[in-house]
């Protein structure tokens, strides 16, 4: 059986899963659904139309389901969905969506959100991500699975970050980052592939060699980027990761592609 501390305030209409503990001075709104076996340590505020999956741990002063930081918001019943098995540390904020953005902010399973990180309105965040201290997403961002965002890094609204990307600390991310990319710098630039992450995902030496060769041809070959991109299209059949990168580039809409610094930025 779960427990609700007598100092906590759980509004009528809230749904609390079996085995969930609501600690001292938490506030749970009337449109909140919290799954089984969660632990809200203390001073957690969950508001809005928010659902939280099972087995999540939420630390003090997290504020989940607050109004989007968008001037067009008019208190519409938009939503925040958080998956199961997430760890949400002190001071984390996650906003509900906006009507113009589809009405939903979604966070996947198994995420680890360090203190003071932020997920903006209408973001779609994948599974098993890690947001380090004060990592921040503007609205409408799309973040793939197994993404790591370093401390004090900020991602511009409408930016896409592909799966298995590593973003260094204190980066301003202004462009879409290809799957498996490694970016760094005050204004993030592409430094290579996230080889450590790829090895953790069981890439063989042969696969790594193929993807590295493709990367070099695309980002460091002769000619301008558009010409190189056209030239590497036939390589999509050599490895699923190559096909994924090319598909990601083709789907870009709002933000430019994050490219290597220097001559690699010529498009």
């Amino acid at each position: 059986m779960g427990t609700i501390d007598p100092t906590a305030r759980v509004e009528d209409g809230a749904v609390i899963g079996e085995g969930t503990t609501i600690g001292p001075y938490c506030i749970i709104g009337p449109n909140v659904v919290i799954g089984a076996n969660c632990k809200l340590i203390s001073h957690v505020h969950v508001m809005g139309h928010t659902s939280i999956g099972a087995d999540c741990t939420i630390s003090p002063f997290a504020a989940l389901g607050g109004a989007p930081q968008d001037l067009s918001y008019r208190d519409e019943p938009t939503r925040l969905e958080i998956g199961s098995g997430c760890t949400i540390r002190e001071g984390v904020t996650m906003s509900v969506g906006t009507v113009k953005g589809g009405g939903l902010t979604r966070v996947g399973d198994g995420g680890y959100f360090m203190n003071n990180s932020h997920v903006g309105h209408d973001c779609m965040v994948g599974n098993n991500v890690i947001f380090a201290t004060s990592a921040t997403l503007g609205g409408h961002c799309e973040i793939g699975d197994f993404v790591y965002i370093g401390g004090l890094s900020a991602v511009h609204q409408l930016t896409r970050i592909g799966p298995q990307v590593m973003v260094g600390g204190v980066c301003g991310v202004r462009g879409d980052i290809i799957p498996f990319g490694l970016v760094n710098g005050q204004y993030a630039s592409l430094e290579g592939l996230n080889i450590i992450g790829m090895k953790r995902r069981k890439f063989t030496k042969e696969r790594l060699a193929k993807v590295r060769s493709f990367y070099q041809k695309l980002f460091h070959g002769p000619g301008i980027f558009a010409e190189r991109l056209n030239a590497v299209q036939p390589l999509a059949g050599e490895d699923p990761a190559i096909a994924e990168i090319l598909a990601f580039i083709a789907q870009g809409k709002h933000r430019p592609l994050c490219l290597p610094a220097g001559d690699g930025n010529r498009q």
Side-chain angles (χ1 to χ4, degrees):
M1 294 292 292
T3 60
I4 299 177
D5 189 273
T7 63
R9 179 175 177 178
V10 180
E11 299 281 358
D12 291 343
V15 177
I16 309 299
E18 184 177 355
T20 286
T21 299
I22 309 293
Y25 302 104
C26 293
I27 301 175
I28 311 300
N31 299 305
V32 170
V33 177
I34 300 177
N37 301 312
C38 290
K39 184 177 182 180
L40 281 63
I41 295 174
S42 72
H43 298 86
V44 174
H45 193 173
V46 188
M47 61 201 100
H49 290 74
T50 297
S51 64
I52 299 173
D55 303 306
C56 292
T57 299
I58 307 174
S59 294
F61 307 109
L64 307 176
Q69 297 176 123
D70 185 301
L71 296 176
S72 69
Y73 183 67
R74 295 294 181 268
D75 203 31
E76 297 94 346
T78 52
R79 296 175 291 145
L80 167 66
E81 295 179 359
I82 300 172
S84 61
C86 291
T87 298
I88 298 173
R89 295 298 300 269
E90 296 82 358
V92 170
T93 52
M94 299 182 182
S95 303
V96 297
T98 63
V99 171
K100 66 182 181 182
L104 174 64
T105 304
R106 178 181 290 132
V107 173
D109 299 335
Y112 194 102
F113 298 88
M114 298 186 196
N115 59 298
N116 300 309
S117 55
H118 172 69
V119 176
H121 59 85
D122 304 295
C123 289
M124 296 289 146
V125 179
N127 301 321
N128 300 297
V129 301
I130 298 176
F131 284 32
T133 295
S134 297
T136 299
L137 300 183
H140 310 276
C141 292
E142 298 177 22
I143 310 299
D145 296 344
F146 296 103
V147 166
Y148 174 89
I149 301 179
L152 300 171
S153 289
V155 181
H156 193 285
Q157 64 184 15
L158 297 167
T159 296
R160 299 177 303 142
I161 297 180
Q164 301 187 45
V165 163
M166 176 171 283
V167 178
V170 201
C171 285
V173 179
R174 302 182 293 180
D176 292 347
I177 304 174
I178 61 166
F180 315 102
L182 171 66
V183 302
N184 231 320
Q186 179 180 359
Y187 293 111
S189 60
L190 192 62
E191 290 191 345
L193 295 169
N194 180 16
I195 298 299
I196 293 175
M198 296 168 80
K199 288 179 178 178
R200 288 174 178 167
R201 304 280 83 78
K202 309 301 182 185
F203 273 67
T204 64
K205 290 182 179 180
E206 291 75 18
R207 289 195 69 195
L208 284 172
K210 286 181 181 180
V211 180
R212 277 173 156 166
S213 175
F214 159 81
Y215 177 90
Q216 290 296 321
K217 291 174 182 176
L218 177 58
F219 292 105
H220 297 291
I224 63 172
F225 179 78
E227 293 171 346
R228 300 195 299 264
L229 179 60
N230 185 62
V232 298
Q233 294 298 321
L235 301 179
E238 291 193 1
D239 189 274
I242 295 174
E244 186 174 358
I245 292 170
L246 290 173
F248 178 91
I249 294 172
Q251 292 162 6
K253 294 180 181 178
H254 301 289
R255 303 297 303 161
L257 194 64
C258 183
L259 296 171
D263 289 344
N265 285 305
R266 292 183 292 117
Q267 297 187 62

